[in-house]
Amino acid sequence: MKLHYTLYTFLLTAFISPVFSQSFITVDEDTYEFIADVNYSTFKNNKLVSKGVTVINELNTIKTDFDSISFSRLDYETAGFKKKELDSLVFLKKSTIYLDEIVISNTKNDLTVIGEQNRFVKHQANSLSKELLYGLVFRNKWDTDITVTKADIFVNKVKHKTAYTIKFYTFQESFIMNGNQDIKNPEPVFTTDTLFLDPRTKGKVTIDIPQGFVLEAGENILVSVELVDYYDDEGNIINPEFKDLTKLKFQLSDRADYFAKLMNQNTHELTPNLRNINLIINYDFAHHFFKKPHKSSIVAPAILLYIVK
């Protein structure tokens, strides 16, 4: 009910504005996240009429007559529209790539950690599965090949000895359409040896990849932590209760690189492809409610990779 009221409020605001007004929000074309602090200028007959800066969580409304508008921000490409082409959602394309990376000095190499290192979301964790149900995409945005030598995962307190592997998949990424993007035809290209988590293990777990995995320049990889089996104290394979399953922690995310299968609420069947979860959430809030989702809604598995360039 609250969401319907919010949508009604925004639409009412748009329609009761003066007849020559125009309302919009600025959105990242890749992630559908709201973009604040975008400079915009309106023009009439090629003459400057007004200037402004966009805000988030509310419509930006122009209350002066104009026939064209331009948008600019340092890290986005400048865009211009005629008034008749201006939609309520203004999509902007990034011009600058930001990488979350920390360089760790080493006597032999310089290791770079790639991935997000944000605050864990309390009570947000997913149990490991024996099949590919969810994973995190890592993108090689450098102009050179990189070699993955280690990985960090973060787990809730382990109840039973757990055998697992870390798998890397190549994949096809569909075009974004109406807030949907799928990973198709994932193919495993690298799997670690079987690894083990002992009972009472919790927090960060570091995995060495001595043989290294080479990710070519411009290529992407999907990383998944997958279950092999659970064992009791005598080494017998067991099937724990749901509450005792080993779970991978999730953290706040600033990206749209978390993909997972969704369940049909009527048939309880899983989607055949993995879907970009955070992209869906950002799109739905931007397109239907003109709001930014709460930051705790945008999460991702807590996985880090150590690379050598």
Side-chain angles (χ1 to χ4, degrees):
M1 182 70 182
K2 184 178 180 181
L3 292 178
H4 287 92
Y5 176 77
T6 303
L7 177 59
Y8 172 79
T9 302
F10 276 114
L11 292 177
L12 181 62
T13 302
F15 283 115
I16 64 174
S17 299
V19 66
F20 49 76
S21 73
Q22 192 91 17
S23 299
F24 62 88
I25 57 173
T26 44
V27 182
D28 187 295
E29 72 166 27
D30 292 322
T31 66
Y32 287 89
E33 290 181 308
F34 281 30
I35 311 170
D37 303 322
V38 177
N39 298 301
Y40 62 88
S41 300
T42 62
F43 301 87
K44 180 75 172 180
N45 298 324
N46 294 322
K47 293 184 179 180
L48 180 65
V49 175
S50 65
K51 290 185 176 182
V53 180
T54 63
V55 294
I56 60 174
N57 287 340
E58 63 180 84
L59 288 170
N60 299 275
T61 301
I62 302 171
K63 297 183 178 180
T64 55
D65 193 16
F66 69 101
D67 56 26
S68 61
I69 187 170
S70 67
F71 297 89
S72 64
R73 204 178 99 156
L74 182 62
D75 51 338
Y76 284 85
E77 295 181 2
T78 298
F81 304 91
K82 293 180 180 179
K83 182 179 180 179
K84 63 182 180 180
E85 299 172 341
L86 185 64
D87 196 2
S88 58
L89 296 184
V90 177
F91 293 97
L92 299 180
K93 183 177 181 180
K94 276 192 173 70
S95 60
T96 303
I97 295 174
Y98 293 98
L99 299 175
D100 292 327
E101 58 182 64
I102 300 175
V103 177
I104 303 174
S105 296
N106 185 297
T107 54
K108 295 182 180 179
N109 303 299
D110 281 340
L111 291 180
T112 301
V113 183
I114 59 173
E116 296 180 286
Q117 301 181 70
N118 294 331
R119 180 170 63 82
F120 295 123
V121 180
K122 192 174 182 180
H123 305 308
Q124 178 71 50
N126 278 10
S127 56
L128 304 187
S129 171
K130 290 188 175 184
E131 58 181 312
L132 177 59
L133 295 184
Y134 65 92
L136 190 63
V137 170
F138 289 86
R139 307 177 189 276
N140 182 358
K141 297 178 180 179
W142 289 276
D143 57 2
T144 184
D145 296 351
I146 60 177
T147 301
V148 181
T149 60
K150 297 169 65 176
D152 282 346
I153 63 173
F154 297 80
V155 295
N156 285 351
K157 188 174 181 179
V158 176
K159 300 293 183 66
H160 299 283
K161 185 174 182 179
T162 307
Y164 70 102
T165 60
I166 298 179
K167 292 186 178 181
F168 293 3
Y169 293 83
T170 58
F171 58 89
Q172 297 174 10
E173 203 168 22
S174 70
F175 292 108
I176 297 173
M177 182 174 293
N178 296 327
N180 291 316
Q181 183 184 39
D182 287 358
I183 278 180
K184 300 180 178 180
N185 305 318
E187 293 288 341
V189 291
F190 175 81
T191 303
T192 63
D193 295 333
T194 300
L195 306 164
F196 294 91
L197 294 169
D198 293 323
R200 293 178 294 280
T201 300
K202 65 178 180 178
K204 183 171 75 171
V205 178
T206 299
I207 299 97
D208 289 317
I209 305 175
Q211 64 271 51
F213 172 78
V214 178
L215 184 59
E216 297 180 357
E219 294 297 315
N220 305 324
I221 204 77
L222 175 73
V223 179
S224 175
V225 184
E226 298 180 26
L227 176 69
V228 176
D229 273 310
Y230 292 104
Y231 299 89
D232 63 16
D233 294 338
E234 283 72 43
N236 301 308
I237 295 176
I238 59 173
N239 293 308
E241 296 180 26
F242 178 79
K243 64 182 180 63
D244 293 332
L245 298 179
T246 298
K247 296 179 177 62
L248 186 66
K249 286 189 173 186
F250 273 55
Q251 63 183 358
L252 299 178
S253 178
D254 300 315
R255 302 179 180 176
D257 289 333
Y258 164 42
F259 287 77
K261 291 189 175 183
L262 300 176
M263 179 178 288
N264 186 303
Q265 295 299 316
N266 295 321
T267 66
H268 298 289
E269 294 179 349
L270 294 174
T271 53
N273 299 321
L274 288 91
R275 189 150 290 177
N276 192 327
I277 302 301
N278 291 337
L279 188 65
I280 293 172
I281 297 171
N282 282 323
Y283 176 83
D284 282 348
F285 271 80
H287 188 75
H288 296 295
F289 310 120
F290 298 101
K291 289 185 63 177
K292 185 176 181 179
H294 191 275
K295 62 181 180 180
S296 63
S297 300
I298 307 299
V299 300
I303 303 173
L304 299 172
L305 297 182
Y306 294 72
I307 65 165
V308 177
K309 291 185 282 185

